[in-house]
Amino acid sequence: MSGIISYGAYIPLWRLSRDVIAAGWGRASLGGERSVANNDEDTVTMAVEAVLDCLNNVDRGIVDGLYFASTTAPFREKQCAALVAAAADLRTDIITMDFSNSLRAGTAALRAALDAVNSGSAENVVVVAADSRLAYPRSDYEQNFGDGAAALLVSRNHTPVATVEASYSVSNDMYDVWRLDKDIFVQSWEDRFIIEHGYLENMSKAISGLMKRQDLKAESVNKAIFYAPNVRAQQTLARQVGLDVKTQLQDLLMGSLGVCGSAHALIMLVAALEEAKGGETFLLASYGDGSDAFLIKVTEAVGKIKGKQRGVKGFLNSKRSLPSYERYLSYRGLVEPQPGEPFRLFPSSSASWRERNWAIRFHGSRCKNCGLITFPIQRVCYGCRSKDNYEEVRLSDKRGTVYTFSLDTLAGRSDDPMVPHIVIESELGKTRIYSIMTDCDPSEIKIGMSVEMTFRRMYEGAGMYNYFWKCRPVR
Amino acid sequence: MESIKDKVAIIGMGCTKFGERWDAGLDDLAIEAAYEAFEDAGIDPADIQAGWFGTVTAPTTGIGATHAINPLKLRIPMTRVENWCITGHEALRNACFGVASGMYDIVLALGVEKLKDTGFPGLGTGRGMGPVLEARRTSPGSFALIATRYFYTYDLSPEEGKRVIGKIAVKNHYNGSMCPKAHFRNKITLEQVLNAPIIAWPLGLFDCCGNSDGAAAAVLVPAKIAKDFRKDPVYIKGLGQSFDPLLPHTRPGFDWLTWDALVDSSHQAYEQAGIKNPREELDIAEVHDCFTITELIIYENFGFCPRGKAKEDIDAGFFELTGGLPVNADGGLKCFGHPVGASGLRMTYEVYKQMQGKAQSPERQLKDVRFGLSHTFGGPPQVSAVAILGRELG
């Protein structure tokens, strides 16, 4: 039976207290905090993190499809899924696809993945959704939105932790929340209209339609995982479809995370699976230009993968507070940071393409003659001078320790003026890696400290975004 | 393999005032250094038969030796050389080979760098490793990696470690204060060094050399005819050059303390010059103090002192003007800055002048300088060049 065989999530380290945002504008705080992607993160890098979390303890060789969903992809023309798949070091003979433009993109990708495995066109498909939407400064949405990603591995032949029994979709054309092709910020119509005739009407239509068709009684639902733009709308919906807000409704994560756009329904699903027991029934529903509803049954296998992923819980618990609203504006590109020292080497598409196996897949070379591992890939072995006699080894999933470091104040952006330069000794063959540390307090860096690798956007040059791996303290 | 010893002599040298030379472009600096060298050698520019021109950042690479030929109006074979921070030494080295081969009798080695037309104070980021690896790498950020590891290995707290290397800055500024051609001529105290803003932790402002414009030049002839030009020529005794085999940042097992390029280049030069004990036999050393920690690891890799023991010699003043082996008697890169293509020749200029008893400012003049060393070091990966000069033949 097809279903979800693994799950993962990613939530950026940085959180911003809504009181800090409110204080910036002298207005009321909605309370709690939201996640904020770092200035080197985007939906591609967050998606890579979620995929790696999902594939922890999974043989990556089985994955034959990756579907990426976002309304805030870094590219208009150029697929994100292919880049995410490469950074996740997946095979190249796989199906990759991007889903976009709707807050339902995440569940649309999930449905497509289920269809693919059910039809036999793929065996194991990773669905990943990531979003980092920008709200007008001072708006409620600015406080409500969060940044994050979730990933699900959908499979036909492996034991699922949850099966998707049925689904029901509703399509609806409406200007409720939207962005034109030229917009930076999310626009919206009056809240009372869009909640009543957009959110509540469409969500309840899909949910009730599914319940009726599957003959599902409200009392047999263990968790109702309902996307919502805010807590009040979610609770109103739950009551409308006959559910108990206190016992059956999955937490919207508004207090600790914020609403993460097209990724949010999947993030909530992952959070629910983390707490699930075998035999439970979930009702998942997402919203955006209509609604998708899914009936999900948790299997006994859910217990077996617990603790193998960091998931929503793990990443939510690992956090640091952004000290100021200004820092948030700069991290999200809303104010322009003064650049560090000018960068002299501009990227080249052809050079990046040649270097993809070490720069994106983060492979080193292991000499077949003497066994020495070197990063980046070396054609002539440093240890024994064997030429072109190596195999590639993946270093992105290996931890390492800080061998030496420095804290550079010349090269940083004005919103992150100190750049920690790190020489890492990897746990794999003591391979040395040179990397910048991100998501850290530079004053806490010490020789011997444990680090892990993280895929980040490095800089923009020659009209391209350039990605590479940094390190960070183990989260 | 033959030694270069006693085959080539320097008969004239020139060195510009180093500093923020807003008044002078690359061409002006070239003229200033070359004409001082011509005058010092007592030759006419038209006597020069070939030249080697070192510069690194000159208005884009790929334009060859234009900035040497055009301003000097020479009609000779001229080759541009570029090899990281040892570029000035490469001009000298290749000019020596041109003479030693017998091809030319009078040649020019010229090193020029104009750094202050870029609009920013450092050398910039993104050189050497490729776009993604280099994204935010700077020279201070990389050299500071040595300090962190050195302090850790020898169990020095960052505070203790900074005091040790800080004394090198104090020494070099003291020496530079007496050198009219230096960029920085201020004496500093250890307290100033320790309290200065951090550039790349653990290195502070005074641990880093400045960014300056400058040029230096040498006129070289076969040793056997040198005395036809002047009574006190200076002879090339040894020339070493070596690279580390891989970027230190990614080199397996690298300890950040033993630098192959430093060890190999100095040993090559010692062997050619017949120097067995550099600590005792050298009378002056001009070494690559781009950062104070660099000067410290040079002491230990050049055999000036045992490994891990630099602190004792620094505390004892061994490398000061009055010590056993004065290092950077003109103030070094610390006071001259590091106009990359010029530095190797500027250091050689100091050794040359000290040997002739003509150091700028008599209070800096060392006694009886018979053997001297000049050295530059850059990368990544690291590359090092050493020239050993002697006052007498044999």
Side-chain angles (χ1 to χ4, degrees):
Chain A
M1 175 116 195
S2 64
I4 296 160
I5 63 168
S6 187
Y7 54 78
Y10 177 72
I11 292 158
L13 181 74
W14 299 100
R15 308 300 150 79
L16 183 60
S17 162
R18 295 196 174 95
D19 294 353
V20 172
I21 305 176
W25 293 110
R27 55 161 299 187
S29 166
L30 300 176
E33 60 189 13
R34 58 157 293 179
S35 61
V36 178
N38 203 333
N39 56 22
D40 55 4
E41 294 187 291
D42 62 19
T43 49
V44 162
T45 67
M46 292 196 293
V48 171
E49 291 275 3
V51 169
L52 296 185
D53 191 42
C54 175
L55 296 182
N56 193 23
N57 287 305
V58 175
D59 171 14
R60 297 189 202 182
I62 70 167
V63 177
D64 54 6
L66 186 139
Y67 294 174
F68 170 89
S70 180
T71 68
T72 48
F75 305 110
R76 278 284 173 80
E77 181 170 334
K78 179 176 157 39
Q79 197 186 56
C80 295
L83 175 55
V84 173
D89 204 17
L90 302 183
R91 290 168 14 213
T92 52
D93 58 332
I94 65 173
I95 306 167
T96 53
M97 226 182 286
D98 282 3
F99 293 75
S100 64
N101 283 30
S102 169
L103 291 177
R104 264 196 303 156
T107 50
L110 173 61
R111 171 190 301 286
L114 289 164
D115 289 347
V117 299
N118 284 331
S119 72
S121 66
E123 300 273 332
N124 304 288
V125 177
V126 181
V127 175
V128 61
D131 242 332
S132 175
R133 292 152 77 216
L134 288 175
Y136 282 106
R138 199 183 180 279
S139 67
D140 281 357
Y141 285 164
E142 184 181 41
Q143 295 194 33
N144 270 359
F145 288 177
D147 302 330
L152 303 170
L153 179 56
V154 174
S155 173
R156 184 163 58 151
N157 291 327
H158 292 77
T159 313
V161 297
T163 56
V164 181
E165 305 285 323
S167 65
Y168 195 105
S169 287
V170 171
S171 173
N172 177 53
D173 178 54
M174 171 190 271
Y175 278 102
D176 54 350
V177 286
W178 70 94
R179 271 174 285 148
L180 301 180
D181 55 0
K182 60 188 178 183
D183 282 343
I184 294 168
F185 301 112
V186 173
Q187 301 199 58
S188 63
W189 202 256
E190 187 186 347
D191 217 35
R192 297 178 63 81
F193 164 70
I194 66 177
I195 294 293
E196 186 181 337
H197 289 289
Y199 178 75
L200 292 173
E201 200 170 295
N202 287 279
M203 287 288 272
S204 60
K205 204 186 280 182
I207 293 162
S208 304
L210 179 65
M211 289 172 79
K212 194 170 174 189
R213 203 177 65 197
Q214 298 302 119
D215 198 20
L216 180 71
K217 300 281 173 287
E219 56 270 27
S220 18
V221 175
N222 296 93
K223 273 286 177 270
I225 303 158
F226 292 166
Y227 168 91
N230 59 56
V231 173
R232 192 169 152 194
Q234 189 200 35
Q235 293 181 351
T236 306
L237 172 67
R239 284 187 207 100
Q240 274 189 12
V241 296
L243 293 161
D244 181 57
V245 166
K246 284 213 172 76
T247 58
Q248 289 176 290
L249 200 52
Q250 179 69 25
D251 180 10
L252 189 60
L253 300 170
M254 186 59 86
S256 54
L257 174 63
V259 176
C260 301
S262 64
H264 202 72
L266 302 189
I267 289 173
M268 289 173 69
L269 172 60
V270 170
L273 285 169
E274 285 166 7
E275 305 294 331
K277 294 185 192 67
E280 286 185 344
T281 298
F282 286 177
L283 200 49
L284 169 72
S286 71
Y287 176 74
D289 313 285
S291 173
D292 290 334
F294 300 85
L295 175 60
I296 294 172
K297 290 271 189 195
V298 180
T299 76
E300 296 300 331
V302 77
K304 288 187 190 156
I305 71 159
K306 270 188 190 158
K308 292 189 175 163
Q309 285 75 22
R310 284 178 183 153
V312 175
K313 201 177 185 179
F315 279 115
L316 270 181
N317 286 337
S318 163
K319 62 177 182 176
R320 283 182 187 274
S321 290
L322 270 186
S324 70
Y325 177 67
E326 290 84 344
R327 193 68 71 89
Y328 153 80
L329 291 176
S330 185
Y331 275 22
R332 301 296 358 110
L334 299 177
V335 296
E336 180 102 5
Q338 184 178 14
E341 286 217 338
F343 189 70
R344 286 166 177 266
L345 272 181
F346 285 99
S348 149
S349 172
S350 47
S352 302
W353 173 78
R354 284 194 302 275
E355 291 169 352
R356 63 198 181 279
N357 277 18
W358 67 260
I360 304 297
R361 290 182 181 269
F362 213 60
H363 287 181
S365 50
R366 172 159 39 209
C367 177
K368 287 184 186 169
N369 182 50
C370 75
L372 187 73
I373 303 174
T374 320
F375 180 87
I377 295 166
Q378 300 290 319
R379 286 185 60 196
V380 175
C381 176
Y382 168 73
C384 70
R385 288 216 178 93
S386 294
K387 177 174 163 288
D388 292 328
N389 184 29
Y390 63 88
E391 58 189 351
E392 295 188 13
V393 290
R394 181 164 66 222
L395 289 158
S396 56
D397 55 351
K398 302 295 183 294
R399 288 187 182 179
T401 51
V402 174
Y403 187 81
T404 189
F405 70 97
S406 64
L407 306 174
D408 189 322
T409 62
L410 288 180
R413 299 156 43 123
S414 55
D415 60 351
D416 258 336
M418 193 173 266
V419 179
H421 294 250
I422 312 290
V423 174
I424 300 166
E425 192 162 85
S426 172
E427 64 182 346
L428 182 69
K430 296 194 169 187
T431 310
R432 292 287 175 85
I433 297 163
Y434 170 60
S435 170
I436 291 170
M437 192 182 285
T438 186
D439 286 354
C440 67
D441 174 352
S443 70
E444 293 174 1
I445 302 171
K446 286 187 173 59
I447 287 179
M449 112 187 237
S450 193
V451 295
E452 60 191 1
M453 304 311 300
T454 175
F455 191 67
R456 297 294 165 121
R457 191 200 284 186
M458 300 302 283
Y459 64 97
E460 192 178 337
M464 295 177 255
Y465 295 135
N466 280 266
Y467 295 87
F468 188 53
W469 294 81
K470 293 184 180 179
C471 66
R472 69 172 175 225
V474 174
R475 282 187 70 182
Chain B
M1 217 160 47
E2 279 187 57
S3 167
I4 193 76
K5 183 181 176 185
D6 290 340
K7 290 187 173 152
V8 183
I10 305 176
I11 58 159
M13 287 202 79
C15 178
T16 67
K17 163 77 180 165
F18 278 42
E20 291 173 328
R21 294 291 306 269
W22 309 116
D23 61 314
L26 200 65
D27 292 7
D28 301 309
L29 295 165
I31 291 168
E32 210 173 308
Y35 272 75
E36 185 191 332
F38 298 153
E39 195 179 323
D40 183 45
I43 62 161
D44 188 87
D47 296 334
I48 300 287
Q49 296 163 355
W52 280 264
F53 168 57
T55 194
V56 174
T57 61
T60 73
T61 50
I63 61 160
T66 308
H67 285 285
I69 287 288
N70 279 0
L72 299 175
K73 309 292 181 295
L74 297 174
R75 281 179 65 191
I76 55 168
M78 177 73 79
T79 306
R80 174 167 171 171
V81 295
E82 188 219 300
N83 208 355
W84 285 115
C85 299
I86 71 163
T87 294
H89 270 110
E90 285 292 21
L92 177 71
R93 228 165 60 89
N94 286 281
C96 285
F97 299 153
V99 170
S101 71
M103 181 102 181
Y104 304 111
D105 284 333
I106 307 180
V107 304
L108 175 69
L110 175 64
V112 192
E113 204 73 51
K114 179 70 199 173
L115 293 178
K116 301 303 297 186
D117 279 350
T118 58
F120 57 93
L123 290 175
T125 62
R127 295 165 300 123
M129 294 189 195
V132 288
L133 270 179
E134 278 279 2
R136 299 258 168 220
R137 197 189 70 80
T138 64
S139 297
S142 274
F143 279 89
L145 295 167
I146 306 173
T148 308
R149 192 67 202 181
Y150 187 94
F151 298 168
Y152 177 83
T153 305
Y154 293 111
D155 205 20
L156 297 165
S157 69
E159 294 71 28
E160 290 168 322
K162 280 177 68 75
R163 291 186 82 82
V164 172
I165 57 176
K167 287 179 183 174
I168 294 173
V170 173
K171 166 184 74 78
N172 290 355
H173 269 266
Y174 174 77
N175 297 350
S177 71
M178 296 180 280
C179 199
K181 289 187 173 182
H183 180 174
F184 300 105
R185 300 192 58 205
N186 53 325
K187 289 178 191 161
I188 55 172
T189 64
L190 187 57
E191 291 313 302
Q192 279 177 285
V193 177
L194 299 175
N195 294 326
I198 290 294
I199 301 298
W201 189 93
L203 303 179
L205 180 68
F206 290 111
D207 290 304
C208 306
C209 76
N211 236 35
S212 317
D213 304 320
V219 176
L220 301 138
V221 299
K224 59 181 185 288
I225 63 166
K227 292 229 166 152
D228 299 345
F229 293 88
R230 69 184 307 144
K231 64 176 176 20
D232 54 357
V234 164
Y235 299 98
I236 302 294
K237 297 290 181 181
L239 292 172
Q241 195 260 49
S242 184
F243 263 97
D244 277 4
L246 196 59
L247 296 170
H249 304 72
T250 60
R251 184 172 151 195
F254 186 59
D255 67 2
W256 289 83
L257 305 172
T258 302
W259 297 78
D260 295 347
L262 292 174
V263 172
D264 294 351
S265 61
S266 61
H267 283 185
Q268 290 163 17
Y270 295 156
E271 196 174 320
Q272 291 164 25
I275 285 178
K276 305 270 186 294
N277 184 346
R279 181 183 173 96
E280 299 296 328
E281 294 174 59
L282 291 174
D283 303 307
I284 181 175
E286 288 285 307
V287 305
H288 196 86
D289 59 325
C290 53
F291 302 94
T292 50
I293 185 64
T294 323
E295 184 168 323
L296 184 149
I297 60 154
I298 290 166
Y299 298 158
E300 297 189 0
N301 282 269
F302 274 16
F304 293 177
C305 70
R307 290 203 176 276
K309 301 288 185 194
K311 178 176 185 297
E312 292 168 24
D313 278 333
I314 291 167
D315 287 344
F318 187 76
F319 302 113
E320 294 173 12
L321 288 177
T322 52
L325 172 52
V327 172
N328 292 329
D330 62 353
L333 298 172
K334 276 293 303 142
C335 292
F336 274 82
H338 183 26
V340 186
S343 291
L345 283 159
R346 185 272 301 162
M347 296 162 161
T348 306
Y349 177 88
E350 169 68 6
V351 177
Y352 170 86
K353 290 287 182 186
Q354 287 278 3
M355 277 184 180
Q356 294 173 332
K358 293 175 183 169
Q360 298 168 42
S361 315
E363 64 266 40
R364 262 184 347 99
Q365 179 64 50
L366 302 170
K367 286 199 189 98
D368 196 25
V369 178
R370 292 172 308 124
F371 286 103
L373 173 153
S374 68
H375 161 252
T376 44
F377 182 49
Q382 296 330 104
V383 58
S384 170
V386 173
I388 295 179
L389 309 180
R391 204 174 57 186
E392 311 290 344
L393 282 172

